[in-house]
Amino acid sequence: MTDTYSSLSGDLAALAPRLAAADATIRRVALIELADDGDPEHVPLLVAALADADAGVRSEAARLLAGWDDANVAAALAARLLDHDVDVRTAAAQTLSELKSQEAGVPLLPWAGHEDAFARSAALRALRELRLPAARDPALAALTHADAGVRREAVGVLGWLKAIDALPALAGLARHDTDAEVRRVATGALGFAADASVAPALLAALGDDHWPVREEAATTLGKLRLATATGALIATLEQDIWQVRIKAARALGLIGDAAALPALIASLAHQAGNLRKEAAITLGEIGDAGARAALDVATADPDPEVRKAARLALGRLEAA
């Protein structure tokens, strides 16, 4: 290992013996000092440390490589996704998830179809925000994987790619996947749809047994401004837990249907201040004069945030 660090010069030359020390703690600390220098020429030395005999050094090297958007770095980190030590695998996965350039993500494409579930989900997660078109096919194939984590990351890739041809499969996951978190992310991914074809899946998700799925469904229905969902959103606003009701109120504000006024006005009396505030905001967005009396009352709400929202909503009514 001494030869590996023989290229160090100047002040860093003193690090060479410590980087090759028998004591793993000394090697790890020296590695941190090397990374602090920030010299791109030392990146290969950090990559070499990924093969250190000590798991602590390997995991430290994986963390220290964060921010280096380089294909060779990504390839080396991907190999550590199969490390026998869980901390090393986790550190490599985290650093890969921070990649920003598509070029650096290319070496991860084969890993998006790897037989190891952890490696596959980590690669898909890293590819998600890179929006590499070549990630579409492995992501589609991963939607039926036995591991829920793999399916979840595959949904993320397709959502960021806005893969229209994946909408039927995503709608199916939103309705029927056995894992609640997969259903939730699939429900959110339907937000890039260009028409109402996903409405049945979203309305079904609005009745899911798990409230985060219902919350996501309300958010997505509002994002798509699906007027056909008004009735279902009103029912959600009237009957669900307050966290979901808030999202339903926001969605109704985006849709802008005055049919929601009675349910929104009733929400101004709910015990949850956040919901009362959201109801006031939404009434202002809809802009129907029928909400004026209820908003006048809300200006005396015990919660200052609700009072402020009510005043702003009344201002919007006056300006309409």
Side-chain angles (χ1 to χ4, degrees):
M1 290 290 286
T2 304
D3 291 342
T4 304
Y5 304 112
S6 61
S7 61
L8 294 174
S9 59
D11 293 339
L12 291 176
L15 284 178
R18 292 165 56 203
L19 288 165
D23 188 320
T25 300
I26 294 175
R27 297 200 302 277
R28 186 174 63 82
V29 173
L31 203 63
I32 294 171
E33 293 180 32
L34 178 67
D36 284 345
D37 184 60
D39 190 337
E41 292 187 4
H42 298 150
V43 172
L45 302 179
L46 296 175
V47 170
L50 290 172
D52 193 278
D54 182 77
V57 175
R58 296 198 302 277
S59 60
E60 192 67 63
R63 286 188 287 269
L64 293 172
L65 283 166
W68 294 106
D69 272 21
D70 178 87
N72 291 328
V73 170
L77 286 167
R80 288 299 107 195
L81 295 174
L82 299 179
D83 197 282
H84 61 79
D85 185 87
V86 63
D87 290 339
V88 177
R89 296 197 300 273
T90 302
Q94 177 59 40
T95 297
L96 285 170
S97 73
E98 298 173 20
L99 291 175
K100 303 299 181 186
S101 74
Q102 289 190 337
E103 181 181 358
V106 171
L108 299 180
L109 291 170
W111 290 87
H114 199 278
E115 61 180 12
D116 181 83
F118 179 86
R120 191 171 188 175
S121 62
L124 288 166
R125 181 166 64 254
L127 288 166
R128 181 177 58 196
E129 297 183 29
L130 299 182
R131 292 178 172 151
L132 272 170
R136 171 193 166 279
D137 287 348
L140 278 171
L143 291 179
T144 57
H145 196 276
D147 185 87
V150 173
R151 299 197 301 277
R152 182 172 63 247
E153 300 302 342
V155 168
V157 170
L158 295 167
W160 278 80
L161 284 174
K162 297 184 178 181
I164 297 297
D165 59 338
L167 283 172
L170 293 174
L173 289 178
R175 299 184 73 162
H176 305 301
D177 197 276
T178 56
D179 183 84
E181 183 61 12
V182 174
R183 295 198 302 276
R184 187 191 69 79
V185 296
T187 297
L190 295 175
F192 68 80
D195 55 39
S197 62
V198 297
L202 290 172
L203 291 172
L206 201 58
D208 195 276
D209 290 340
H210 293 260
W211 72 264
V213 180
R214 301 195 301 274
E215 185 181 47
E216 195 72 44
T219 298
T220 305
L221 285 166
K223 184 185 297 184
L224 295 175
R225 291 170 170 76
L226 292 177
T228 54
T230 298
L233 287 167
I234 290 173
T236 296
L237 181 59
E238 293 174 333
Q239 302 166 13
D240 216 316
I241 62 173
W242 68 266
Q243 292 93 334
V244 181
R245 291 188 187 198
I246 285 177
K247 302 299 184 182
R250 289 179 184 172
L252 288 165
L254 291 168
I255 293 170
D257 193 330
L261 256 65
L264 288 165
I265 289 172
S267 296
L268 289 174
H270 194 276
Q271 62 182 0
N274 286 344
L275 178 55
R276 299 198 304 277
K277 173 185 173 182
E278 199 62 46
I281 292 171
T282 300
L283 287 167
E285 291 173 340
I286 292 175
D288 191 288
R292 182 173 283 109
L295 287 169
D296 279 333
V297 173
T299 60
D301 192 278
D303 187 322
E305 291 296 317
V306 178
R307 296 197 298 270
K308 178 180 178 181
R311 290 194 299 270
L312 291 173
L314 285 167
R316 296 186 70 168
L317 292 184
E318 295 298 330

